[in-house]
Amino acid sequence: MELVDKSMSNATQRLMNNATQSGMDNATERTQSVLQDGYDLPVYGLDTGWFLYIHVPALCCIFVSLFCASAVIIASFRSQTRPFFSWMRSERFVVYLSMCDALFNLTHSMDHLQMVITKDHVYPVELCEFYSYFLALFSSAQFLVTNVAAFKAFGLIYLQKEFGLGKYDWKLLLYTFGIPFMLSACAALLGYYGPTGSYCHFDAVKGAVANIFFTTVPMTAVLVANIVLYVLTWWKIHTESKRIKTMLGNEAQTVRASHRAAKMMSLFVTAFFVQWWALGIAIVWYKFAVIPKEYLTITVIITNLGGVVNGVVYIIIKRRRDRHGNKSFKSPRHSLKDFGNNHRKVDVSVIDTKM
């Protein structure tokens, strides 16, 4: 009798184990079948009460940033009497970055505002893809503009060359807007855009892998490149600044002019770090652990203040321009090659008037 009971018990246990395993397999299959795209994921923060702590600060920062970016664009054009492409390059860079900020903020305000009103993902999917495309386009353009600024400062100081941007800045515009335009179009056509849970960008399900190659890797590469170029540029400026004391007349003037131009370009790299450092940390953090909701809010606030940061850069550039006046237009044309340095091929008059 005991043997019969034991056999029945073992059989019952096996049946229960098989049923449990079958149930788990079915649940896994259902989960996999349900998560077709980002719309199958819950809206971030609704279940924890953190929803408004993400979107309200984001909207406040976005509108402040949009106001500052618009003010910089208007002030830049009102303060100039010359054609746009005859402005100093630092002044043109401010306008390019402010335009990216303004368009980025305008688009981003729409998806955040819609989510706050509906407390749901952005519908229809075509509208979310539309937002995603322009968010990716303008944020990527910002990264590349600052990358050009870092490379120009590096080339001017470390490589001792002045790299042109082409007539009407066509080289700059092709690099900073042409590449993001093509990549964003490819991502849109392949269906990688959609809801992330907090806003519209790369779909949290369909575009998770694509996000690594379209966003994480390029952004990390630009960030590292900017850091390296920034450090090398300032190290060279620091070492050359000591030599200026031993130089005479026009030679010292030329070196100071190149340093001033490189520092102008470095301002944009500094602004890039201020705006995107929190997001850079969040991207790495997310790969290894869950990001605390408090840090996510901090990231949202800092990342959406680009217009304010570039507004500060505009004020610095304007003050420096007003302080130096039009001395650069009256400066004689000299290069360090004239003073026996055969490696430097930078024209001081070009630096001051075009940089």
Side-chain angles (χ1 to χ4, degrees):
M1 187 70 178
E2 292 181 358
L3 291 175
V4 172
D5 291 341
K6 187 174 182 180
S7 298
M8 292 179 64
S9 177
N10 291 337
T12 302
Q13 185 66 36
R14 285 195 299 271
L15 287 173
M16 291 177 63
N17 291 339
N18 291 336
T20 301
Q21 183 63 40
S22 176
M24 293 175 63
D25 292 341
N26 291 335
T28 301
E29 291 176 2
R30 286 197 302 272
T31 301
Q32 291 176 345
S33 63
V34 167
L35 295 179
Q36 298 296 322
D37 53 39
Y39 287 103
D40 295 323
L41 295 174
V43 175
Y44 182 84
L46 275 181
D47 55 341
T48 61
W50 204 257
F51 177 79
L52 293 180
Y53 290 101
I54 293 293
H55 294 279
V56 172
L59 284 170
C60 292
C61 294
I62 286 171
F63 286 126
V64 171
S65 180
L66 178 60
F67 173 80
C68 292
S70 302
V72 167
I73 295 172
I74 294 171
S76 295
F77 280 95
R78 291 188 64 178
S79 64
Q80 296 284 349
T81 56
R82 295 174 292 146
F84 177 73
F85 292 104
S86 65
W87 298 5
M88 293 196 312
R89 284 176 184 161
S90 57
E91 294 170 335
R92 302 204 303 275
F93 270 54
V94 167
V95 172
Y96 290 139
L97 288 172
S98 295
M99 289 178 64
C100 289
D101 273 318
L103 294 171
F104 174 87
N105 290 324
L106 185 62
T107 305
H108 212 14
S109 65
M110 294 178 184
D111 68 341
H112 274 295
L113 192 59
Q114 183 172 339
M115 292 188 71
V116 168
I117 294 173
T118 63
K119 289 184 171 54
D120 200 353
H121 296 294
V122 174
Y123 286 96
V125 62
E126 292 80 10
L127 181 60
C128 191
E129 290 174 341
F130 175 82
Y131 293 152
S132 302
Y133 174 83
F134 286 104
L135 288 175
L137 172 63
F138 296 125
S139 60
S140 299
Q142 282 184 302
F143 297 158
L144 296 181
V145 169
T146 56
N147 184 236
V148 171
F151 189 74
K152 281 186 68 60
F154 174 78
L156 185 64
I157 297 298
Y158 206 87
L159 299 180
Q160 302 174 344
K161 292 182 180 179
E162 208 285 310
F163 296 99
L165 301 177
K167 188 176 182 180
Y168 304 123
D169 293 341
W170 73 266
K171 294 179 182 179
L172 171 69
L173 297 176
L174 181 63
Y175 175 66
T176 57
F177 290 95
I179 294 176
F181 175 82
M182 294 300 297
L183 291 178
S184 298
C186 290
L189 291 174
L190 293 173
Y192 291 145
Y193 288 140
T196 66
S198 300
Y199 55 94
C200 292
H201 198 234
F202 278 89
D203 189 286
V205 176
K206 295 190 301 180
V209 176
N211 189 29
I212 296 175
F213 295 99
F214 280 82
T215 303
T216 305
V217 173
M219 181 181 177
T220 304
V222 170
L223 182 62
V224 172
N226 285 353
I227 291 174
V228 172
L229 295 174
Y230 185 85
V231 171
L232 290 175
T233 298
W234 277 96
W235 176 81
K236 188 70 172 180
I237 289 175
H238 175 72
T239 55
E240 282 195 346
S241 296
K242 297 178 180 179
R243 291 198 305 110
I244 292 178
K245 298 178 181 179
T246 64
M247 297 178 184
L248 300 174
N250 289 329
E251 183 180 8
Q253 178 188 356
T254 304
V255 175
R256 287 193 184 96
S258 64
H259 285 187
R260 186 164 57 249
K263 290 177 181 178
M264 285 284 196
M265 289 292 102
S266 296
L267 282 175
F268 300 107
V269 184
T270 304
F272 172 83
F273 293 147
V274 171
Q275 182 180 359
W276 298 106
W277 69 268
L279 182 60
I281 294 175
I283 289 175
V284 177
W285 197 337
Y286 178 75
K287 302 302 177 184
F288 300 97
V290 177
I291 302 175
K293 57 183 181 296
E294 295 83 3
Y295 184 80
L296 186 59
T297 300
I298 293 173
T299 302
V300 167
I301 292 172
I302 296 174
T303 304
N304 287 308
L305 286 176
V308 178
V309 176
N310 286 318
V312 174
V313 172
Y314 169 77
I315 293 172
I316 294 173
I317 291 175
K318 188 175 184 304
R319 286 183 176 179
R320 290 184 180 180
R321 185 189 65 186
D322 294 342
R323 185 187 310 144
H324 293 288
N326 292 324
K327 292 179 182 179
S328 58
F329 292 97
K330 300 175 183 179
S331 298
R333 299 180 68 89
H334 293 294
S335 68
L336 289 184
K337 186 175 180 180
D338 298 332
F339 303 103
N341 188 339
N342 293 324
H343 298 287
R344 188 178 290 272
K345 301 177 181 178
V346 181
D347 190 320
V348 63
S349 63
V350 173
I351 291 173
D352 288 341
T353 60
K354 296 298 183 183
M355 181 58 70

